[in-house]
């Protein structure tokens, strides 16, 4: 029987019902419910009940029956106050719940959508909103109230093991995509959670690393995306990150949670910790230690998740000692109750356990195609006819496509369409000599991997399966018998570990196969296509010229193979653009010298001495050549930009920009217009340019145009001055730069803006705890 809160109330005893009548959630004001609760009760509300099926970090062999198996956390219910259990579940690429349930033959699968990095490459917030809506629908229909997504940390360094869960190296893209995602999820009447607030840019010692970041880099880069999403989407919740920022744990950081988030940005949802956040390490959880609950709740971190019995006792002790203030406790309790009142469980929503997975699969496929980025297409090698063609399909992941990353960003989907299946579905014939070798090899290696990861439990890492080796003769034979060749490069990573530098480069087994295939097929004048099935940036410079076409499919969700085939065949014209730079070499990355901090094997400190020069802000300003610039991506068509007009509107404090995009090619397609701004030299240094607006066209027919007008507020043009704690705009000439990548600026126009310098004064918050130098332009 499904949990029904109302029926539970009716079976309560008369005495409970009488006292409950005076203060019941939904009938009485939230503050009165809070006032009725004892300290012990409030402590049990502020601390979650632990991960369902676990005690601390130990999995129970025989867990009690759960409402939604595989969910990540919940609160304690208080029937007498009419407070039900809110169910929380991950995650960013789709709802993460367990598909099997005891005593049921039904499978509770969720749709695996493209990972966030892929979605951001669509540069299409409308599409991301649609994905959010579908994920929110599955959340609601499986009985979950609050989704622990989206993840939106800045991709500071390509080796962060969780980059696939995040959108971009740029805060405008991150904030815009997160807003769209949250708006989509929440229009179902379930909540979304922005995470991980803030600066969770590495997994190495994620529980304890102290990140030293200037106030300017925080405001402009690491907090900016969250600010955009809070203001544009009013998420129900925010999850704090594990790490310290300038000496203070994010979950204990009053400057961050109260000063900036609530007072300055007017956030009115609830703040929860990451799972065991503030503990310093998993060992402390295992040793039954306790986080500094008073510091956390006093700072404005309302909910301690997933919660331990020690934390409940500690909250009571600290409340009685006065270190944890009564008002902080009451405010946090009130915020939690306000969210509970909005939730499906409070409204006794009768969820179906049957979301429309078929319809969502269609959305996942469409999103996957729109997220793929065509990096190379020499002599218009693509699109290719697939129907009736014989394909030499190489690379392990061609047969075992990676839909998404590991850890809490993983999804338990019903199936993943491999590239082999996708090509066959389009009428291609796959070389059997190759597939009969690959398939048993992959099956064996994959089951070893699954067994190992089960044995290691928790957040065990994915280990790349070594590429099968084929002799020169075998490959030459394949080049004689097939129309063209495809090789897929696969990479996977996830929570709790960063990628080693070696993962950034191709390994010898991969290089050798790519070289042999390239030689053999080009020797026969036949095409060679490389697909990149990856979740984070890798090196491409040394091998990209060995292929005729390179398609970055990212980790595209469960419809993978069909989506790749639609791009290869030209059924869909690629329109994805990179939301992060592909550097030529790891040493070119601005944070290469400081990531993941010191000491390198277990970093206690990480100094962000690249300051605001993250991603293209660095490469473009310091003229460091890259493999593929930010914003880059090819199309089967071509586009022209024209009629760039700019106007200053001082009364509205806006810069107005308008222009037209025309499809000048032969096939219909979409283009992304990117508006970068170069600010004048003032008292602060600036990157060469920064993305300040973007728009994606509709699917334009050849010869058709679309015109756009956009308004950029002065606030978005201003820079943060750490000395004066204010957003300032230098008066002078602003150059508006329109193009389709940060390094393909097609039209430019300068205009003079004469503003008073200070746009907004803020608090002097999150001051650095140590002195360090930042690079300057
Ligand atoms: C992750 C969060 C996730 C939580 C609950 C943590 O380990 O960092 O992103 O939401 O677990 O599964």
């Amino acid at each position: 029987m499904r949990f029904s809160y109302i029926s539970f109330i009716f079976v309560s005893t008369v005495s409970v019902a009488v006292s409950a009548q005076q203060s019941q959630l939904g009938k009485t004001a939230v503050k009165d419910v809070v006032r009725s609760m004892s300290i012990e009760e409030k402590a049990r509300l502020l601390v979650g009940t632990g991960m369902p099926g676990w005690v601390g970090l130990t999995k129970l062999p025989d867990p009690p029956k759960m409402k939604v198996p595989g969910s990540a956390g919940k609160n304690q219910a208080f029937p007498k106050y009419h407070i039900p259990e809110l169910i929380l579940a991950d995650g960013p690429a789709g709802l993460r719940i367990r598909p099997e349930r005891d005593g049921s033959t039904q499978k509770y699968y969720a749709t695996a959508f493209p990972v966030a990095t892929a979605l951001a490459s669509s540069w299409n917030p409308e599409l991301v909103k649609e994905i959010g809506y579908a994920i929110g629908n599955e959340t609601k229909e499986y009985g979950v109230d609050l989704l622990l997504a989206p993840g939106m940390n800045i991709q500071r360094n390509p080796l962060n093991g969780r980059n696939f869960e995040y959108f971009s190296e740029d805060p405008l893209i991150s904030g815009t995509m997160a807003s769209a995602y949250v708006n989509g999820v929440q229009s179902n009447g379930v909540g979304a959670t922005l995470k991980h607030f803030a600066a969770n840019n590495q997994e190495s010692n994620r529980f304890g690393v102290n990140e030293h970041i200037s106030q300017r880099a925080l405001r402009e880069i690491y907090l900016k995306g969250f600010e955009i999403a809070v203001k544009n989407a009013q998420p129900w919740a925010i999850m704090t990150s594990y790490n310290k920022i300038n000496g203070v744990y994010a979950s204990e950081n009053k400057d961050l949670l109260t000063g900036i988030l609530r007072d300055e940005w007017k956030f009115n949802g609830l703040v929860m910790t990451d799972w065991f956040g503030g503990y310093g390490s998993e060992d402390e959880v295992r040793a039954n230690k306790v986080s500094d609950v008073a510091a956390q709740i006093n700072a404005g971190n309302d909910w301690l998740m997933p919660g331990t019995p020690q934390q409940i006792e500690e909250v009571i002790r600290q409340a009685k000692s006065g270190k944890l203030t009564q008002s902080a406790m009451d405010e946090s309790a009130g915020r939690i109750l306000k969210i509970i009142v909005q939730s499906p469980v409070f409204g006794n929503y009768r969820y179906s356990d049957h979301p429309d997975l078929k319809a969502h699969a269609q959305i996942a496929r469409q999103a996957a195609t729109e997220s793929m980025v065509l990096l190379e297409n020499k002599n218009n090698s693509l699109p290719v006819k697939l129907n009736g063609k014989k394909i030499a399909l190489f690379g392990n992941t061609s047969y075992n496509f990676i839909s998404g990353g590991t850890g809490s960003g993983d999804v338990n989907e019903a199936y993943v369409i491999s590239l082999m299946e996708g090509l066959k579905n389009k009428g291609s014939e796959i070389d059997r000599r190759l597939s009969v070798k690959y398939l048993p090899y992959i099956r064996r290696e994959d089951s070893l991997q699954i067994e190992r990861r089960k044995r290691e439990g928790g957040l065990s890492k994915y280990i790349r399966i070594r590429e099968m080796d084929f002799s020169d003769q075998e490959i030459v034979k394949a080049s004689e018998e097939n129309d063209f060749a495809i090789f897929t490069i696969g990479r996977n990573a996830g929570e709790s570990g960063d990628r080693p530098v070696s993962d950034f480069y191709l390994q010898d087994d991969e290089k050798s196969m790519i070289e042999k295939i390239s030689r053999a097929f080009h020797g026969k004048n036949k095409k060679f296509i490389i697909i990149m099935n990856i979740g984070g940036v890798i090196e491409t410079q040394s091998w990209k010229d060995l292929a005729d076409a390179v398609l970055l499919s990212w980790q595209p969700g469960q419809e993978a193979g069909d989506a790749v085939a639609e791009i290869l065949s030209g059924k869909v014209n690629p329109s994805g653009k990179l939301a992060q730079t592909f550097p030529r070499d790891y040493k070119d990355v601005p944070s290469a010298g400081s990531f993941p901090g010191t000491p390198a094997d277990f970093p206690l400190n990480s100094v962000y001495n690249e300051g605001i020069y993250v991603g293209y802000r660095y490469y473009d300003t310091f003229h460091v050549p890259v493999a593929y610039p930010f914003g880059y991506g090819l199309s089967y068509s071509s586009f022209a930009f024209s009629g760039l007009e700019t106007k200053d509107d001082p009364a509205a404090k806006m810069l107005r920009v308008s222009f037209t995009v025309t499809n000048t090619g032969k096939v219909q397609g979409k283009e992304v217009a990117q508006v970068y701004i170069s600010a004048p030299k003032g008292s602060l240094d600036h990157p060469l340019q920064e993305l300040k607006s973007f728009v994606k066209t509709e699917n334009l027919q050849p010869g058709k145009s679309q015109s756009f007008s956009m308004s950029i507020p002065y606030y978005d043009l201003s820079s943060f001055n750490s000395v004066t704690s204010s957003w300032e705009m230098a008066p002078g000439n602003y150059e508006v730069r329109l193009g389709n990548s940060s390094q393909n600026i097609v039209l430019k126009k300068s205009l003079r803006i004469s503003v008073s310098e200070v746009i907004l004064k803020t608090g002097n918050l999150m001051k650095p705890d140590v002195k360090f130098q930042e690079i300057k332009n």
Side-chain angles (χ1 to χ4, degrees), residues 72 90 148 162 195-196 206 239 242 274-275 408 495:
D90 290 303
L148 302 173
R162 289 187 93 168
K195 69 188 190 184
H196 309 89
R206 63 175 176 163
M239 183 190 291
Y242 290 118
D274 198 343
W275 268 225
S408 59
E495 190 171 347

PDB file of all heavy atoms in Angstrom, residues 72 90 148 162 195-196 206 239 242 274-275 408 495, ligand 1:
ATOM      1  N   ALA A  72      17.927   8.880  -2.125  1.00  0.00           N
ATOM      2  CA  ALA A  72      19.167   9.230  -1.412  1.00  0.00           C
ATOM      3  C   ALA A  72      18.952   9.683   0.028  1.00  0.00           C
ATOM      4  O   ALA A  72      19.874   9.646   0.828  1.00  0.00           O
ATOM      5  CB  ALA A  72      19.892  10.328  -2.188  1.00  0.00           C
ATOM      6  N   ASP A  90      18.705  11.538  -6.418  1.00  0.00           N
ATOM      7  CA  ASP A  90      19.540  12.082  -7.499  1.00  0.00           C
ATOM      8  C   ASP A  90      18.814  11.833  -8.810  1.00  0.00           C
ATOM      9  O   ASP A  90      17.877  11.016  -8.857  1.00  0.00           O
ATOM     10  CB  ASP A  90      20.893  11.335  -7.506  1.00  0.00           C
ATOM     11  CG  ASP A  90      21.719  11.729  -6.279  1.00  0.00           C
ATOM     12  OD1 ASP A  90      21.978  12.925  -6.109  1.00  0.00           O
ATOM     13  OD2 ASP A  90      22.078  10.833  -5.495  1.00  0.00           O
ATOM     14  N   LEU A 148      17.781  15.909  -6.601  1.00  0.00           N
ATOM     15  CA  LEU A 148      19.089  16.460  -6.219  1.00  0.00           C
ATOM     16  C   LEU A 148      19.878  16.821  -7.479  1.00  0.00           C
ATOM     17  O   LEU A 148      20.898  16.229  -7.802  1.00  0.00           O
ATOM     18  CB  LEU A 148      19.836  15.454  -5.346  1.00  0.00           C
ATOM     19  CG  LEU A 148      19.061  15.055  -4.078  1.00  0.00           C
ATOM     20  CD1 LEU A 148      19.765  13.935  -3.334  1.00  0.00           C
ATOM     21  CD2 LEU A 148      18.845  16.247  -3.165  1.00  0.00           C
ATOM     22  N   ARG A 162      33.883  14.858 -12.072  1.00  0.00           N
ATOM     23  CA  ARG A 162      32.443  15.097 -12.175  1.00  0.00           C
ATOM     24  C   ARG A 162      32.075  16.134 -13.222  1.00  0.00           C
ATOM     25  O   ARG A 162      30.922  16.573 -13.261  1.00  0.00           O
ATOM     26  CB  ARG A 162      31.877  15.536 -10.817  1.00  0.00           C
ATOM     27  CG  ARG A 162      31.835  14.447  -9.809  1.00  0.00           C
ATOM     28  CD  ARG A 162      31.109  14.878  -8.544  1.00  0.00           C
ATOM     29  NE  ARG A 162      29.694  14.523  -8.591  1.00  0.00           N
ATOM     30  CZ  ARG A 162      28.882  14.578  -7.541  1.00  0.00           C
ATOM     31  NH1 ARG A 162      29.328  14.998  -6.383  1.00  0.00           N
ATOM     32  NH2 ARG A 162      27.616  14.234  -7.643  1.00  0.00           N
ATOM     33  N   LYS A 195      23.369  22.280  -7.096  1.00  0.00           N
ATOM     34  CA  LYS A 195      24.490  21.767  -6.321  1.00  0.00           C
ATOM     35  C   LYS A 195      25.765  21.908  -7.133  1.00  0.00           C
ATOM     36  O   LYS A 195      25.690  22.014  -8.353  1.00  0.00           O
ATOM     37  CB  LYS A 195      24.235  20.308  -5.920  1.00  0.00           C
ATOM     38  CG  LYS A 195      24.248  19.293  -7.075  1.00  0.00           C
ATOM     39  CD  LYS A 195      23.800  17.928  -6.576  1.00  0.00           C
ATOM     40  CE  LYS A 195      24.033  16.871  -7.645  1.00  0.00           C
ATOM     41  NZ  LYS A 195      23.526  15.542  -7.255  1.00  0.00           N
ATOM     42  N   HIS A 196      26.949  21.953  -6.576  1.00  0.00           N
ATOM     43  CA  HIS A 196      27.235  21.922  -5.149  1.00  0.00           C
ATOM     44  C   HIS A 196      27.767  23.295  -4.825  1.00  0.00           C
ATOM     45  O   HIS A 196      28.809  23.677  -5.344  1.00  0.00           O
ATOM     46  CB  HIS A 196      28.267  20.855  -4.845  1.00  0.00           C
ATOM     47  CG  HIS A 196      27.901  19.497  -5.433  1.00  0.00           C
ATOM     48  ND1 HIS A 196      28.250  19.094  -6.699  1.00  0.00           N
ATOM     49  CD2 HIS A 196      27.182  18.459  -4.921  1.00  0.00           C
ATOM     50  CE1 HIS A 196      27.792  17.869  -6.952  1.00  0.00           C
ATOM     51  NE2 HIS A 196      27.130  17.453  -5.899  1.00  0.00           N
ATOM     52  N   ARG A 206      37.661  15.786  -1.686  1.00  0.00           N
ATOM     53  CA  ARG A 206      36.529  16.712  -1.779  1.00  0.00           C
ATOM     54  C   ARG A 206      35.944  17.057  -0.409  1.00  0.00           C
ATOM     55  O   ARG A 206      35.368  18.117  -0.222  1.00  0.00           O
ATOM     56  CB  ARG A 206      35.440  16.136  -2.678  1.00  0.00           C
ATOM     57  CG  ARG A 206      34.819  14.839  -2.166  1.00  0.00           C
ATOM     58  CD  ARG A 206      33.662  14.421  -3.059  1.00  0.00           C
ATOM     59  NE  ARG A 206      33.105  13.136  -2.664  1.00  0.00           N
ATOM     60  CZ  ARG A 206      31.923  12.712  -3.043  1.00  0.00           C
ATOM     61  NH1 ARG A 206      31.171  13.449  -3.820  1.00  0.00           N
ATOM     62  NH2 ARG A 206      31.482  11.531  -2.670  1.00  0.00           N
ATOM     63  N   MET A 239      22.184  22.655  -2.466  1.00  0.00           N
ATOM     64  CA  MET A 239      23.026  21.744  -1.698  1.00  0.00           C
ATOM     65  C   MET A 239      24.417  22.371  -1.573  1.00  0.00           C
ATOM     66  O   MET A 239      25.018  22.755  -2.576  1.00  0.00           O
ATOM     67  CB  MET A 239      23.143  20.398  -2.427  1.00  0.00           C
ATOM     68  CG  MET A 239      23.941  19.353  -1.652  1.00  0.00           C
ATOM     69  SD  MET A 239      24.305  17.890  -2.665  1.00  0.00           S
ATOM     70  CE  MET A 239      22.691  17.170  -2.864  1.00  0.00           C
ATOM     71  N   TYR A 242      31.125  20.028  -0.247  1.00  0.00           N
ATOM     72  CA  TYR A 242      31.902  19.494   0.872  1.00  0.00           C
ATOM     73  C   TYR A 242      33.059  20.414   1.264  1.00  0.00           C
ATOM     74  O   TYR A 242      33.414  20.533   2.430  1.00  0.00           O
ATOM     75  CB  TYR A 242      32.535  18.155   0.467  1.00  0.00           C
ATOM     76  CG  TYR A 242      31.576  16.996   0.286  1.00  0.00           C
ATOM     77  CD1 TYR A 242      31.435  16.362  -0.952  1.00  0.00           C
ATOM     78  CD2 TYR A 242      30.853  16.504   1.364  1.00  0.00           C
ATOM     79  CE1 TYR A 242      30.594  15.269  -1.106  1.00  0.00           C
ATOM     80  CE2 TYR A 242      30.009  15.407   1.208  1.00  0.00           C
ATOM     81  CZ  TYR A 242      29.889  14.797  -0.026  1.00  0.00           C
ATOM     82  OH  TYR A 242      29.061  13.710  -0.179  1.00  0.00           O
ATOM     83  N   ASP A 274      25.714  18.534   1.420  1.00  0.00           N
ATOM     84  CA  ASP A 274      25.950  17.338   0.629  1.00  0.00           C
ATOM     85  C   ASP A 274      26.033  16.177   1.628  1.00  0.00           C
ATOM     86  O   ASP A 274      26.102  16.403   2.851  1.00  0.00           O
ATOM     87  CB  ASP A 274      27.238  17.453  -0.196  1.00  0.00           C
ATOM     88  CG  ASP A 274      27.266  16.417  -1.339  1.00  0.00           C
ATOM     89  OD1 ASP A 274      26.485  15.438  -1.289  1.00  0.00           O
ATOM     90  OD2 ASP A 274      28.072  16.580  -2.278  1.00  0.00           O
ATOM     91  N   TRP A 275      26.044  14.963   1.119  1.00  0.00           N
ATOM     92  CA  TRP A 275      25.902  13.794   2.003  1.00  0.00           C
ATOM     93  C   TRP A 275      27.107  13.650   2.950  1.00  0.00           C
ATOM     94  O   TRP A 275      28.207  13.371   2.520  1.00  0.00           O
ATOM     95  CB  TRP A 275      25.663  12.560   1.137  1.00  0.00           C
ATOM     96  CG  TRP A 275      24.185  12.286   0.928  1.00  0.00           C
ATOM     97  CD1 TRP A 275      23.567  11.074   1.024  1.00  0.00           C
ATOM     98  CD2 TRP A 275      23.127  13.222   0.620  1.00  0.00           C
ATOM     99  NE1 TRP A 275      22.205  11.208   0.828  1.00  0.00           N
ATOM    100  CE2 TRP A 275      21.906  12.502   0.582  1.00  0.00           C
ATOM    101  CE3 TRP A 275      23.063  14.599   0.430  1.00  0.00           C
ATOM    102  CZ2 TRP A 275      20.672  13.109   0.334  1.00  0.00           C
ATOM    103  CZ3 TRP A 275      21.830  15.205   0.177  1.00  0.00           C
ATOM    104  CH2 TRP A 275      20.673  14.459   0.127  1.00  0.00           C
ATOM    105  N   SER A 408      26.655   9.300  -8.220  1.00  0.00           N
ATOM    106  CA  SER A 408      25.258   9.734  -8.066  1.00  0.00           C
ATOM    107  C   SER A 408      24.723  10.378  -9.333  1.00  0.00           C
ATOM    108  O   SER A 408      23.531  10.635  -9.436  1.00  0.00           O
ATOM    109  CB  SER A 408      25.118  10.675  -6.875  1.00  0.00           C
ATOM    110  OG  SER A 408      25.949  11.796  -7.049  1.00  0.00           O
ATOM    111  N   GLU A 495      31.997  10.618  -9.546  1.00  0.00           N
ATOM    112  CA  GLU A 495      32.167  11.102  -8.197  1.00  0.00           C
ATOM    113  C   GLU A 495      33.283  10.415  -7.402  1.00  0.00           C
ATOM    114  O   GLU A 495      33.480   9.211  -7.541  1.00  0.00           O
ATOM    115  CB  GLU A 495      30.833  10.795  -7.532  1.00  0.00           C
ATOM    116  CG  GLU A 495      30.652  11.375  -6.241  1.00  0.00           C
ATOM    117  CD  GLU A 495      29.230  11.176  -5.785  1.00  0.00           C
ATOM    118  OE1 GLU A 495      28.338  10.797  -6.560  1.00  0.00           O
ATOM    119  OE2 GLU A 495      29.027  11.408  -4.601  1.00  0.00           O
TER     120      GLU A 495
HETATM  121  C1  LIG B   1      27.018  13.665  -3.999  1.00  0.00           C
HETATM  122  C2  LIG B   1      25.765  14.473  -4.276  1.00  0.00           C
HETATM  123  C3  LIG B   1      24.555  13.570  -4.207  1.00  0.00           C
HETATM  124  C4  LIG B   1      24.520  12.913  -2.850  1.00  0.00           C
HETATM  125  C5  LIG B   1      23.325  12.003  -2.656  1.00  0.00           C
HETATM  126  C6  LIG B   1      26.913  12.853  -2.728  1.00  0.00           C
HETATM  127  O1  LIG B   1      27.954  11.955  -2.615  1.00  0.00           O
HETATM  128  O2  LIG B   1      28.137  14.519  -3.939  1.00  0.00           O
HETATM  129  O3  LIG B   1      25.840  15.089  -5.537  1.00  0.00           O
HETATM  130  O4  LIG B   1      23.389  14.292  -4.456  1.00  0.00           O
HETATM  131  O5  LIG B   1      25.700  12.146  -2.676  1.00  0.00           O
HETATM  132  O6  LIG B   1      23.423  10.864  -3.420  1.00  0.00           O
END
